Amino acid sequence: MYIVIIGAPGAGKGTQAVNIAKEMKLAHIASGDLFRQAVERGDELGARVEEYMTKGMLVPDEVTIKMILQRLTVDDCGNGVLLDGFPRNIKQAKALEDALKKRDKAIDRAIYIEVSEGELINRLTNRWICRQCQVAHQGGYNPPGEDEKCELCGGELYQRADDNKETIKKRLSVYFTDTMPVIEYYRQQDKLLEIDGEGSVEVITGRILNALQKREFINK
Ligand code: AMP
């Protein structure tokens, strides 16, 4: 079982991916998290990708595709995978399709979380991420202070380096140019589930699970 989750930066795909992967017992693979971990480790991959991330640009396809295809060979992927943040352009979508085809597999569903542009900017400039469970929290008028902990797991909260106005603008423009065609790609294959991404986290998780169920993808 292979599912991809697509949405603009700030659409809540990371948070939803954590919930859906847990509910469906899938391995959660988030390309952005893998890159951030490499940057934090300060290894060769981290050094290679840091500048692209800081600028809000996509990391070159050959680096990204290699990293994801390697990750897909790890044992925890045996029960299925939820890919979060990959594929982000048509080249990546085709490379994934080819690699899965070689193993007699295919993407089963693509979940597209739709949020208006104004709401995306609002969310991105106010979000705090938990280092432990990766869930994003909205700061609103009282942004969590440095001492605040994640209300779900008690982990430390931080603001992403690329959640600043300049980089947000770039990331959104990359999304509209490069990633929107991927949505069409899966629509044409009749794999797309379009989800209204405005509402509480729990409500949106419910919408996704319902949509998967309606297409007889999960039995509940
Ligand atoms: P994310 O956490 O998904 O918002 O990703 C953060 C950053 O990591 C992006 O702005 C890109 O620089 C890089 N990145 C993540 N996924 C990909 C991908 N599939 N292709 C290229 N770059 C990526």
Side-chain angles (χ1 to χ4, degrees), residues 13 31-33 35-36 52-53 56-59 64 85-88 92 127 160 162 171:
K13 67 181 158 49
S31 46
D33 287 351
F35 286 139
R36 274 184 291 281
Y52 294 100
M53 296 179 78
M57 290 162 62
L58 291 186
V59 170
T64 309
F86 182 96
R88 245 185 171 88
Q92 294 180 6
R127 76 175 179 180
R160 278 173 45 168
D162 56 357
R171 283 159 64 209

Side-chain angles (χ1 to χ4, degrees), residues 108-141:
D108 298 285
R109 291 287 177 264
I111 300 164
Y112 165 38
I113 306 185
E114 211 174 349
V115 173
S116 69
E117 197 175 345
E119 174 68 11
L120 292 173
I121 294 169
N122 193 23
R123 287 187 190 179
L124 287 166
T125 44
N126 282 311
R127 76 175 179 180
W128 292 69
I129 319 275
C130 174
R131 270 191 209 288
Q132 210 160 279
C133 70
Q134 310 302 328
V135 166
H137 300 271
Q138 284 311 124
Y141 293 110

